[in-house]
């Protein structure tokens, strides 16, 4: 299950930067959305980059979302002599979704 949290323009260079990140192919502005992933009672917050045109209207805080075209790409870099690494998430869009039906539920 995924739930939307925060939506913001993706700034090139991180916090304190003023240049909006753009898609290298389309030139479209990129947005970052915080998403909580919940599985087996455990949750994780991930940041997903989405093109501005892929953000659906009517997304609400805590509502379930769908991330069509979601990919995870590992990265690593050296900054000020320190090696950093992580996983970058990117999706084609973020859309509203429905909570899954409970197993064994009757209509």
């Amino acid at each position: 299950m995924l739930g939307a949290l925060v939506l913001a323009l993706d700034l090139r260079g991180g916090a304190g930067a003023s240049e909006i990140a753009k898609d290298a192919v389309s030139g479209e502005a990129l947005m970052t959305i915080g998403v909580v992933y919940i599985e087996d009672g455990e949750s994780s917050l991930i940041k997903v980059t989405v093109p501005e045109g892929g953000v659906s209207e009517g997304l609400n805080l805590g509502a379930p979302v769908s991330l069509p075209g979601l990919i995870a790409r590992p990265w690593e870099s050296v900054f000020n002599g320190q090696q950093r690494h992580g996983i970058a998430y990117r999706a084609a869009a973020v859309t509203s979704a429905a909570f899954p039906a409970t197993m064994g539920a009757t209509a």
Side-chain angles (χ1 to χ4, degrees), residues 25 31 34 38 66 82 90 100:
V25 176
M31 306 289 286
I38 302 170
S66 177
Q82 294 186 338
R90 173 101 184 231

Side-chain angles (χ1 to χ4, degrees), residues 52-81:
E52 190 172 27
V55 178
S56 297
E57 294 289 325
L59 294 176
N60 294 312
L61 181 64
V65 295
S66 177
L67 298 165
L70 179 66
I71 59 169
R73 183 171 294 144
W75 62 269
E76 64 179 54
S77 67
V78 177
F79 182 74
N80 287 337

Side-chain angles (χ1 to χ4, degrees), residues 13-26:
S18 60
E19 184 180 350
I20 296 171
K22 305 275 184 179
D23 182 271
V25 176
S26 69

Side-chain angles (χ1 to χ4, degrees), residues 2-14:
L2 298 173
L5 279 184
V6 179
L7 186 65
L9 280 171
D10 192 7
L11 298 178
R12 188 176 194 92

Side-chain angles (χ1 to χ4, degrees), residues 39-63:
E39 182 177 21
D40 297 330
E42 298 289 324
S43 64
S44 297
L45 173 66
I46 61 173
K47 291 183 178 180
V48 181
T49 300
V50 180
E52 190 172 27
V55 178
S56 297
E57 294 289 325
L59 294 176
N60 294 312
L61 181 64

